Structures are given as C-alpha cells and as structure tokens.
Amino acid sequence: MSPGGSLLAISDLHTAYEANRKIISGLRPETDEDWLIVAGDVGEIFADIEWTLRLLSERFAKVIWTPGNHELWTPKSDPVRLRGEHRYRRLVEFCQSLGVVTPEDPYPVWRGPGGPVTVAPLFVLYDYSFRPPGLNTKKAALERAYEAGVVCTDEFQLHPDPHPSRDAWCHVRIEETERLLAARDTSLPTVLVNHFPLVRDPTLVLRHPEFALWCGTERTADWHRRYNAVAAVYGHLHIPRTTWYDGVRFEEVSLGYPREWEPRGGTPGRFRRILPAESA
C-alpha cells in the first residue's frame, strides 16, 4: 500500500470463465486514491465487458481501458452484432458513460507517488510484421502459421470493417496515435498502455512462435524511447513478467485463462503496481 495511492494494472481478465469472474468480483483498490489500468481482453460478449468495467469503475478512483483483440470480436452468441470500427466506437461510448478513460479521451496525468506522469492508453493493432526469420511477406507468414496449426481466432472473429484488412486498420490507428502522442505535454514522462507489446522481444518466448504474427507491429518499436516512457504496460501474451528494453520497464500484466494461472500457484488476479515503482 502506498500513501497517496498507486497506479495499478491488470489485463486479459477473460470474464467468460466463471473462475475469472470470481476473481474479478474480488478485485478492490488498496486505497481510495488508486487508479487501475485495464489493458484489454476484458471479454468477448458485450454484456460481460459492461459488467466488468462498471464494477471496476465503481471501485477505483479512475479506470483506464484500452481494447484487446477479444473485445473486438463479434461472436455468434453476442446479441450486439457490431463489427470492427463500429464495435470499438460503441465500447468507447459505453466507457465514457462510466467515466472510464479510453484511447479516444485526453490522456490523464497521474499526480500520485511516482508522478506526475501522463498515462496514455493506446489502441494499436497488429500488421503481421512479427514474421518468422526468412519470411518477408504476410502471405508467406500466414501460410507457415496455417501449416503449423497455429492460427489466431481473430482471423475468423475480428472483422476490420470498414477498413479493408486488420493490418490496414492497424496503420490507421498508428497514424492517429502518433498524432495524439505528439500533442501531449512533452514536459512529462509517460506510461504507455497497449494490449499488444510495443516491441517484438516479449514474443520470443512464445511456445508457438508463429503466433507472434498477431502480437504487434514493428512500427511501434521505438515508441518507448520516442515518447519518454518510464513504463510500458501490455497483456495479450498471458506471460506475466517484468522486462527491460533500453532502460524502460515493460510490464505484462495479464490474468489469463484458468488453465494458465491455476498451475502457477499463489494468488491469481494480483495487480501489478506501475507507480510508484516497486523498488521506489
């Protein structure tokens, strides 16, 4: 517990799993001043996402959300049939109705311990540029993934409408996000929050390296340096850990699926403290 509150983070809550839902029900701040970063993959069904974000927004002083790939799916079981950009915009509208900060809102400034720091939720997808060595095209990399039987469900559930492809949507988001980051108060350092890792290095430990195709874009590789980050928060890989690149702390903060967190032991669903830093 930190006097003055903490900037906490978690991701990949996957609310559809009953065991995860019980964990989410028990998530509470350490102080009344705590902020919570939710770095994507709350769930797939719109009602589950609403339940989770409403609960957290009622408990924390501020909640900051960025979408993962699962929020952008359009499952057949979801009565909300919106796809792609339209689904994302509906999620943003819902968050804004709760006071939850989204990538479409002004970046808030954390002024508690370890601050002041601009907290920037980013919505940047992937563009199939995390390819296996020797494969220089998206087509070749996808063929290798299909041959290996390692294909992300996004290929069937995440529709890019009205963009022609997911990678085209990613490039639109990169340009928009670079514009927003350039307009921030450059006198302050940042905490960059994205569902996917901003650098490729975290994907090198994946059990199935072909899955890296759906894990980010090379175009964000220097953002932690360019935008003066003191920390970068991400999820998606379901490999919670702390790593350092160019002196910047990267925090993978996912809960993940029960089959992943149950064997680890300990207390599942623990927040990662982003600020003040654990060593501070």
Side-chain angles (χ1 to χ4, degrees):
M1 182 180 300
S2 175
S6 298
L7 179 62
L8 306 171
I10 199 166
S11 74
D12 297 81
L13 294 170
H14 295 291
T15 310
Y17 291 85
E18 186 59 34
N20 284 23
R21 199 175 184 95
K22 290 179 180 177
I23 291 170
I24 294 165
S25 295
L27 294 179
R28 295 187 181 278
E30 298 172 347
T31 77
D32 291 340
E33 298 171 283
D34 288 348
W35 288 16
L36 180 62
I37 291 167
V38 181
D41 277 10
V42 173
E44 300 85 29
I45 304 300
F46 210 97
D48 286 344
I49 301 168
E50 290 179 321
W51 176 82
T52 303
L53 291 177
R54 180 177 289 110
L55 179 75
L56 297 175
S57 70
E58 291 170 350
R59 293 180 176 177
F60 288 82
K62 189 180 292 293
V63 173
I64 299 163
W65 166 84
T66 192
N69 52 316
H70 282 237
E71 281 103 333
L72 302 175
W73 289 1
T74 308
K76 291 181 180 179
S77 58
D78 193 346
V80 178
R81 305 308 302 155
L82 295 171
R83 293 161 52 122
E85 182 86 35
H86 304 295
R87 188 173 185 87
Y88 169 63
R89 296 293 167 178
R90 175 70 66 84
L91 288 163
V92 167
E93 289 174 4
F94 172 71
C95 286
Q96 291 173 336
S97 75
L98 298 176
V100 171
V101 179
T102 78
E104 306 306 312
D105 297 307
Y107 297 148
V109 175
W110 167 256
R111 300 189 183 278
V117 172
T118 298
V119 183
L122 316 176
F123 171 32
V124 180
L125 281 159
Y126 50 82
D127 60 2
Y128 304 89
S129 57
F130 288 180
R131 299 171 189 146
L135 300 183
N136 298 320
T137 67
K138 170 185 172 181
K139 181 175 183 292
L142 280 172
E143 287 175 352
R144 171 75 61 82
Y146 273 87
E147 289 169 0
V150 180
V151 180
C152 184
T153 305
D154 291 4
E155 293 296 310
F156 316 102
Q157 297 274 30
L158 201 169
H159 307 286
D161 312 22
H163 308 281
S165 63
R166 282 173 290 276
D167 35 324
W169 192 7
C170 173
H171 293 163
V172 169
R173 290 303 314 181
I174 287 170
E175 292 172 6
E176 173 64 8
T177 304
E178 287 179 328
R179 182 186 68 78
L180 294 171
L181 285 167
R184 78 194 191 286
D185 181 350
T186 57
S187 69
L188 298 179
T190 64
V191 169
L192 301 179
V193 181
N194 192 49
H195 180 63
F196 306 95
L198 296 176
V199 298
R200 182 172 184 170
D201 301 65
T203 71
L204 299 180
V205 300
L206 289 172
R207 179 176 300 175
H208 301 288
E210 297 85 358
F211 189 75
L213 273 181
W214 295 275
C215 293
T217 168
E218 298 283 5
R219 290 181 60 179
T220 61
D222 68 343
W223 282 17
H224 59 293
R225 300 191 305 272
R226 197 196 319 177
Y227 300 117
N228 192 24
V230 295
V233 177
Y234 68 101
H236 189 57
L237 303 185
H238 295 196
I239 307 173
R241 60 180 181 149
T242 303
T243 52
W244 296 79
Y245 307 105
D246 305 307
V248 178
R249 177 167 47 104
F250 277 64
E251 297 281 6
E252 209 281 12
V253 299
S254 59
L255 170 61
Y257 303 127
R259 67 175 183 270
E260 296 166 329
W261 56 256
E262 285 174 344
R264 295 181 187 137
T267 304
R270 293 184 63 186
F271 299 121
R272 191 68 58 91
R273 180 175 288 105
I274 308 305
L275 293 174
E278 295 288 354
S279 60

